[in-house]
Amino acid sequence: MNSRYATADIVGVNPIVAMPFTSQGDIDKRSFLRLLEHLATSGANGATLFGIASEFPKLADIEREWLAQAFVHTLSSSPLFRAISVTEHCTELAVKRAKYYQQLGADALMLLPPFFLQPSHDAIQAHIFAVLEAVEIPVMVQYAPGETGLPMHPEQLAAVAVRYPHAVFKIECNPPVDYTRAFIAQAPQASVLNGYAGLYMLEMLAAGGKGVMPGCSFTEVYVQIYRHWQQGELAEAQAMHQRLLPYIQRWMSHCEYIIQAEKNVLYQRGIINSDYCRHPGWPLTAEDRQIVSRLIEDFSLS
């Protein structure tokens, strides 16, 4: 089964889909579908479900099943590439999940390597290899040591790139630029995307990265920055990124903080019906909500 997209097509702005809940903490299906429809017209290149910003550890299996099917079906006629993250820490289960998402119609996968109980580097590499060997569609191998507590050497990722041409790499260590340069020096053929809310978006593009994977609440801002960069309008790209930095630098002080703040952006924009995050989370202050309102005004987000 081949994807609609090749590895080289996994570029540009690829936001992580937030997870809308009702004020009682249930999945808000209507808001979820409305959010997907919004992203389909945002100018993004792709969208990814079940990333950290999707609050994936707080979802039940039955919820994941409905969400994955709705995600693939709703965006089936969209130009967005549809990626779904495989987050199981058990290799056997991760392989089954990867095969299932490919069969379901995902255009790409994202893979969070296992970190619970600190598996060995050999075990992590075997896990990544097993998933890559199980599918034909592109797989974005995720490196997020700040969230997982698991450092990996550039040499480890380079070994994956050499062995598997359908691997893409999402690098979101802090800072990621030197790591990315070291990785690309050993695997120049590899495609690299950057997460971490796009804090280092322009530096990563300059270092050879192919795109950014931020949250989804102000996707249009990242799209404008990326288009300026594509067109060689570097001063314009830099100016817009500098305007965005104070917001994302504040919120990225804690992962739960930016998840909650971005969800409040979506709520204030009228895209989702509630900014509820399942617990434990990060309560916003009145000042936080005012800052969200300021971002929406600063970037003319409806």
Side-chain angles (χ1 to χ4, degrees):
M1 179 181 297
N2 293 321
S3 170
R4 299 184 299 170
Y5 297 88
T7 303
D9 298 321
I10 310 299
V11 299
V13 180
N14 174 18
I16 306 299
V17 181
M19 192 51 54
F21 298 109
T22 68
S23 57
Q24 290 75 42
D26 299 317
I27 297 288
D28 184 342
K29 295 182 178 181
R30 290 184 180 179
S31 287
F32 181 72
L33 297 177
R34 189 161 62 246
L35 174 56
L36 295 181
E37 291 166 356
H38 162 74
L39 292 175
T41 61
S42 67
N45 301 81
T48 296
L49 183 64
F50 301 145
I52 292 173
S54 306
E55 299 176 74
F56 76 84
K58 303 176 184 179
L59 298 173
D61 286 344
I62 192 170
E63 293 172 332
R64 293 181 192 226
E65 177 65 21
W66 182 88
L67 291 162
Q69 292 192 25
F71 175 74
V72 171
H73 174 75
T74 302
L75 297 178
S76 60
S77 60
S78 164
L80 297 178
F81 64 81
R82 303 158 298 171
I84 306 181
S85 186
V86 175
T87 60
E88 283 74 13
H89 284 266
C90 167
T91 302
E92 291 84 353
L93 294 180
V95 165
K96 289 180 180 179
R97 186 74 71 175
K99 289 180 177 178
Y100 172 68
Y101 288 154
Q102 177 177 257
Q103 183 181 21
L104 188 63
D107 299 306
L109 302 176
M110 185 163 73
L111 176 62
L112 181 66
F115 58 87
F116 184 65
L117 298 181
Q118 298 181 322
S120 69
H121 288 303
D122 287 346
I124 296 165
Q125 191 172 67
H127 182 99
I128 295 170
F129 286 178
V131 171
L132 283 162
E133 289 170 4
V135 297
E136 301 171 6
I137 59 179
V139 178
M140 296 180 279
V141 179
Q142 189 173 4
Y143 179 54
E147 285 70 31
T148 65
L150 178 68
M152 295 176 67
H153 298 295
E155 293 82 358
Q156 288 181 279
L157 290 189
V160 179
V162 170
R163 186 167 176 176
Y164 299 101
H166 64 306
V168 181
F169 299 87
K170 182 187 181 186
I171 295 177
E172 48 192 339
C173 51
N174 185 23
V177 180
D178 289 343
Y179 185 98
T180 297
R181 289 197 184 104
F183 168 65
I184 291 177
Q186 298 179 64
Q189 78 285 2
S191 293
V192 173
L193 304 176
N194 178 231
Y196 220 72
L199 277 173
Y200 303 95
M201 178 178 177
L202 294 177
E203 294 96 323
M204 287 292 285
L205 290 171
K210 303 299 184 183
V212 63
M213 297 182 71
C216 70
S217 63
F218 39 94
T219 300
E220 303 95 319
V221 178
Y222 293 102
V223 169
Q224 290 181 53
I225 295 170
Y226 182 67
R227 287 178 177 173
H228 281 311
W229 179 83
Q230 277 187 307
Q231 294 164 10
E233 299 166 352
L234 303 185
E236 291 86 347
Q238 185 67 36
M240 182 168 283
H241 192 257
Q242 285 296 316
R243 286 171 54 205
L244 181 62
L245 272 178
Y247 298 102
I248 55 179
Q249 284 174 333
R250 176 188 178 99
W251 295 332
M252 275 302 290
S253 60
H254 193 282
C255 193
E256 292 281 12
Y257 189 9
I258 194 165
I259 290 172
Q260 182 65 79
E262 289 226 26
K263 197 171 287 189
N264 188 252
V265 174
L266 291 168
Y267 171 66
Q268 289 199 36
R269 295 184 68 186
I271 298 170
I272 63 176
N273 292 331
S274 169
D275 66 351
Y276 188 97
C277 286
R278 284 181 173 171
H279 299 162
W282 186 285
L284 297 183
T285 65
E287 181 186 10
D288 287 326
R289 296 177 189 277
Q290 290 172 357
I291 290 171
V292 166
S293 299
R294 191 183 310 149
L295 176 140
I296 293 171
E297 181 179 354
D298 284 353
F299 289 96
S300 301
L301 300 169
S302 57

